[in-house]
């Protein structure tokens, strides 16, 4: 997001706000997967982000439309070369235990994020900060060399490797949240336990029952607590969408963060205005092991990708209109223009299947030597529906598929360990820029589940991020994207739409491109 001036004042951003209603109100949210932690640097999923963004706040935060607005910082200035950001923290900001939030808490958090001993999966999202990558890789051991400095308790200076057009958006991500150094120093790894944890966001957690729920309450020490209209939230773990819909209809949930797509038409008729489907900056894809087994052969990977009839998945299998994906970066992503596409995108589907059969035959597979694959997905009605359909699409190629499902936490743990032949994955943009998608295929990145690796691709991404001319940057990125698509590094399937069900009694829920809806902006009608 481009700002018209170099200094941004909180008063100009927020405008007038409604006064807080003293009447207690709690919101019940169906949250899907089971969070692995409440530590912002140990997270990786949207179900975890929903909690983290309620209990913590960075220098910059999201408004109801997911635009960057002032958070813990009241204002900031940007140097003429666009590499140095100086943030002024708000007066009187506190942790939930009453201790002040200082610039040093941000320095501590960023240093901890890139510390290789901490093994934060998403540390790479902040590699635009000077020396962050070198420290994370152990090339620099002096953490004071990180480009994050506390000028004083209320002034934070961040220096980048090169101008980064999406940097303010990246600061909204949970990898940029401050951490309570005084608590972590005292409690160590136990700092996130209920009773120990302190937070600086609109809410603070009061109960965490793994496998069941996380409960929060309004943080009275939050700088804008007077304008937080809901007193607390309960985030429920539930991956069975049919059961979630039943509980919503019974009044147990106020918001569903997903729903069984075969119920969409019924909901439109029987729950008018409550089922909400909107464009979403995300990609549904299958990772495919490029290091070992039959899928290490590019011809096998391309054959499997070509044989997927993407045109029927959104309208027929899911019924919610998801668009077929033939690119890695979703169309409409900022700072990019039209993405690259697979070369066979516009072939008739029958021709795609015939070409796929030939590729498999060249790779040594056919009626006398069928290809047997294990397809993994995390437990979810929609994921199962898609996996069953794609297995059927692969059958005419002579491919035998064993479907294996696991709960979300187990599934993604397997992907991170590379324990997969073909596996379901999804990526929801952390910031609106092609870098956020293209980085998934960089060598060594934790989320590069298929372990695809190409030094030339890595160099193009690195060179693109060092390029200050946005047009030239996009050209380098597009060349890299085409390279990955030509090698079938992974299998894009469709571009997401967000799917929520929102009770009529909830006000302030605004559909947005990243499907982020902080409780702070919501209210409950009397």
């Amino acid at each position: 997001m481009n700002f018209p001036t170099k200094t941004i004042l909180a008063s100009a951003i927020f405008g007038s706000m409604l006064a807080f209603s003293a009447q207690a109100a709690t919101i019940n949210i169906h949250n899907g997967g089971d969070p692995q932690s409440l530590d912002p640097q140990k997270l990786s999923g949207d179900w975890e982000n929903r909690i983290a963004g309620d209990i913590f706040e960075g220098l910059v935060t999201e408004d109801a439309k997911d635009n960057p607005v002032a958070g813990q910082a009241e204002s900031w200035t940007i140097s003429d070369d666009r590499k140095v950001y100086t943030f002024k923290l708000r007066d009187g900001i506190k942790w939930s235990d009453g201790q002040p939030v200082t610039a040093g808490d941000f320095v501590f958090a960023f240093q901890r994020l890139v510390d290789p001993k901490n093994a934060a999966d998403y540390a790479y999202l902040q590699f635009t900060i000077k020396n962050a990558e070198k420290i994370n890789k152990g090339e620099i051991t002096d953490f004071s060399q990180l480009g994050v400095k506390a000028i004083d308790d209320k002034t934070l200076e961040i220096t980048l490797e090169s101008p980064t057009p999406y940097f303010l958006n990246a600061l909204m991500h949970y990898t940029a949240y401050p951490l309570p150094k005084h608590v972590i120093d005292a409690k160590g790894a136990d700092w996130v336990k209920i009773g120990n944890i302190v937070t600086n966001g609109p809410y603070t957690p009061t109960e965490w029952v793994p496998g069941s729920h996380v409960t929060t309450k309004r943080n009275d020490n939050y700088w804008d607590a007077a304008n937080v209209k809901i007193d607390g939230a309960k985030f429920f773990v539930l991956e069975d969408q049919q059961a979630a819909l039943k509980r919503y209809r019974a009044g147990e949930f106020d918001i569903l963060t997903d729903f069984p797509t075969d119920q969409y038409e019924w909901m439109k008729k029987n729950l008018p205005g409550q089922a909400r489907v909107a464009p979403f900056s995300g990609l549904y894809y299958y990772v495919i092991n490029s290091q070992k087994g039959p899928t290490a052969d590019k011809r096998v990977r391309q054959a499997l990708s070509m044989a997927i009839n993407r045109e029927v998945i959104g309208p027929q299998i899911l019924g919610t209109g998801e668009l077929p994906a033939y690119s890695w970066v979703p169309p409409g992503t900022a700072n990019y223009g039209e993405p690259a596409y697979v070369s066979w995108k516009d072939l008739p589907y029958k021709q795609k299947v015939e070409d796929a059969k030939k590729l498999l035959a060249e790779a040594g597979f056919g009626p006398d030597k069928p290809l047997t694959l294990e397809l993994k997905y995390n437990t979810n009605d929609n994921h199962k529906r898609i996996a069953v359909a794609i297995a059927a699409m692969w059958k005419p190629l002579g491919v035998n598929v064993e479907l294996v499902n696991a709960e979300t936490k187990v599934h993604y743990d397997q992907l991170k360990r590379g324990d997969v032949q073909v596996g379901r994955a999804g990526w929801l943009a952390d910031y609106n820029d092609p870098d956020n998608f293209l980085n998934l295929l960089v060598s060594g990145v934790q989320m590069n589940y298929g372990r695809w690796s190409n030094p030339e691709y890595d160099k193009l991404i690195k060179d693109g991020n060092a390029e200050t001319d946005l047009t030239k940057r996009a050209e380098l990125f597009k060349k890299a994207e085409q390279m990955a698509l030509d090698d079938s590094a992974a299998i894009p399937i469709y571009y997401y739409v967000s799917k929520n069900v929102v009770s009529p009694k909830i006000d302030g829920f605004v559909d947005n491109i990243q499907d982020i809806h902080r409780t702070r902006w919501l209210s409950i009608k009397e």
Side-chain angles (χ1 to χ4, degrees):
M1 181 175 178
N2 294 318
F3 290 92
T5 60
K6 291 183 180 176
T7 302
I8 297 88
L9 296 176
S11 58
I13 291 172
F14 284 104
S16 61
M17 291 185 174
L18 296 174
F20 166 69
S21 168
Q23 184 169 351
T26 300
I27 190 169
N28 294 313
I29 300 171
H30 154 245
N31 197 38
D34 194 5
Q36 58 181 323
S37 179
L38 298 181
D39 182 338
Q41 296 181 2
K42 302 294 184 184
L43 313 182
S44 63
D46 60 335
W47 61 96
E48 295 163 331
N49 179 32
R50 281 189 279 270
I51 300 169
D54 264 12
I55 63 178
F56 290 96
E57 183 176 82
L59 297 161
V60 180
T61 189
E62 312 93 345
D63 67 8
K65 296 180 181 178
D66 192 47
N67 296 314
V69 293
Q72 295 286 284
E74 66 175 11
S75 66
W76 51 89
T77 58
I78 307 172
S79 64
D80 289 339
D81 65 2
R82 315 295 292 179
K83 290 172 65 175
V84 181
Y85 289 67
T86 305
F87 296 88
K88 287 292 182 183
L89 300 189
R90 295 179 183 277
D91 288 332
I93 51 175
K94 298 176 181 178
W95 293 102
S96 54
D97 63 356
Q99 291 295 309
V101 176
T102 68
D105 289 322
F106 284 92
V107 174
F108 169 75
F110 277 111
Q111 289 184 354
R112 181 177 182 263
L113 175 74
V114 299
D115 185 343
K117 289 186 295 186
N118 194 37
D121 289 346
Y122 272 9
Y124 74 91
L125 289 182
Q126 303 299 343
F127 280 0
T128 56
I129 296 173
K130 185 178 179 181
N131 291 329
E133 183 174 9
K134 290 179 180 178
I135 291 172
N136 189 247
K137 290 182 175 179
E139 296 170 13
I140 293 177
T141 56
D142 180 2
F143 283 33
S144 70
Q145 297 302 306
L146 182 67
V148 182
K149 313 287 184 188
I151 306 303
D152 55 45
D153 281 351
K154 291 176 58 62
T155 310
L156 186 75
E157 181 185 270
I158 300 181
T159 303
L160 307 182
E161 292 281 358
S162 58
T164 304
Y166 59 83
F167 183 60
L168 289 175
N169 295 71
L171 288 180
M172 297 191 293
H173 193 261
Y174 45 78
T175 50
Y177 292 164
L179 294 176
K181 183 177 185 299
H182 64 289
V183 178
I184 296 176
D185 284 348
K187 301 293 184 181
D190 288 340
W191 81 274
V192 291
K193 290 184 176 180
I194 300 299
N196 293 339
I197 188 170
V198 302
T199 66
N200 72 321
Y203 297 90
T204 194
T206 58
E207 185 181 34
W208 177 20
V209 181
S212 178
H213 62 270
V214 172
T215 305
T216 67
K217 70 173 182 178
R218 188 164 57 94
N219 175 13
D220 292 334
N221 281 318
Y222 179 58
W223 66 270
D224 197 35
N227 289 306
V228 175
K229 293 174 280 296
I230 290 178
D231 287 324
K234 195 166 185 177
F235 296 87
F236 288 86
V237 177
L238 181 59
E239 299 188 48
D240 184 334
Q241 294 172 338
Q242 296 284 356
L245 180 57
K246 287 179 182 177
R247 292 179 66 174
Y248 173 84
R249 291 178 62 195
E252 295 179 42
F253 293 154
D254 301 307
I255 292 176
L256 301 184
T257 56
D258 202 351
F259 58 78
T261 55
D262 61 353
Q263 297 296 307
Y264 183 46
E265 291 301 320
W266 180 90
M267 285 190 287
K268 284 197 290 186
K269 293 175 184 175
N270 295 279
L271 302 173
Q274 296 175 52
R276 305 170 69 134
V277 174
F280 190 18
S281 182
L283 179 70
Y284 189 105
Y285 64 101
Y286 277 179
V287 299
I288 188 160
N289 197 317
S290 65
Q291 294 291 312
K292 59 185 179 181
T295 54
D297 189 322
K298 168 191 168 181
R299 295 169 297 186
V300 173
R301 299 197 300 269
Q302 183 175 332
L304 294 172
S305 186
M306 292 184 79
I308 296 175
N309 190 351
R310 293 160 173 82
E311 276 69 22
V312 305
I313 290 176
Q316 295 180 32
I317 296 170
L318 293 175
T320 38
E322 287 80 354
L323 294 173
Y326 293 99
S327 67
W328 189 245
V329 179
T333 300
N335 308 316
Y336 200 42
E338 192 72 6
Y341 293 104
V342 294
S343 59
W344 40 266
K345 170 180 179 286
D346 296 321
L347 291 178
Y349 180 62
K350 286 185 178 179
Q351 184 64 54
K352 291 176 184 174
V353 173
E354 290 307 310
D355 289 352
K357 289 178 179 177
K358 291 176 184 176
L359 284 168
L360 279 185
E362 290 174 14
F365 296 99
D368 297 331
K369 187 186 177 185
L371 173 61
T372 299
L373 291 175
E374 187 179 71
L375 170 54
K376 294 183 174 180
Y377 64 93
N378 53 301
T379 305
N380 174 291
D381 293 337
N382 296 333
H383 301 334
K384 180 179 181 180
R385 198 172 290 122
I386 292 168
V388 168
I390 288 177
M393 293 171 191
W394 287 343
K395 196 151 190 71
L397 306 184
V399 178
N400 298 321
V401 178
E402 179 188 359
L403 300 180
V404 178
N405 74 294
E407 64 177 22
T408 300
K409 190 184 296 186
V410 173
H411 174 73
Y412 275 99
D413 181 61
Q414 290 174 336
L415 294 190
K416 288 175 185 177
R417 288 188 281 106
D419 180 14
V420 63
Q421 280 188 299
V422 183
R424 177 266 157 189
W427 188 257
L428 315 178
D430 298 302
Y431 45 86
N432 191 5
D433 189 89
D435 171 78
N436 192 226
F437 289 91
L438 296 170
N439 243 312
L440 291 172
L441 298 175
V442 169
S443 303
V445 167
Q446 178 78 63
M447 310 306 168
N448 185 351
Y449 303 127
R451 305 293 195 267
W452 182 77
S453 180
N454 185 312
E456 188 178 351
Y457 176 93
D458 298 344
K459 185 176 187 303
L460 285 167
I461 300 303
K462 187 172 184 178
D463 290 348
N465 276 323
E467 178 57 65
T468 57
D469 183 313
L470 288 181
T471 301
K472 291 180 181 177
R473 178 177 184 263
E475 289 172 358
L476 291 167
F477 279 170
K478 192 166 181 176
K479 185 177 179 182
E481 183 182 20
Q482 192 66 63
M483 185 180 297
L485 292 169
D486 289 347
D487 204 48
S488 299
I491 302 177
I493 297 174
Y494 65 76
Y495 309 117
Y496 274 110
V497 290
S498 58
K499 298 189 289 287
N500 296 286
V501 185
V502 183
S503 167
K505 71 180 184 180
I506 302 298
D507 266 345
F509 189 101
V510 180
D511 294 318
N512 61 66
I513 196 69
Q514 287 192 255
D515 196 28
I516 291 178
H517 312 277
R518 302 303 184 201
T519 308
R520 171 189 179 188
W521 305 113
L522 305 178
S523 61
I524 299 177
K525 297 177 187 176
E526 299 298 329

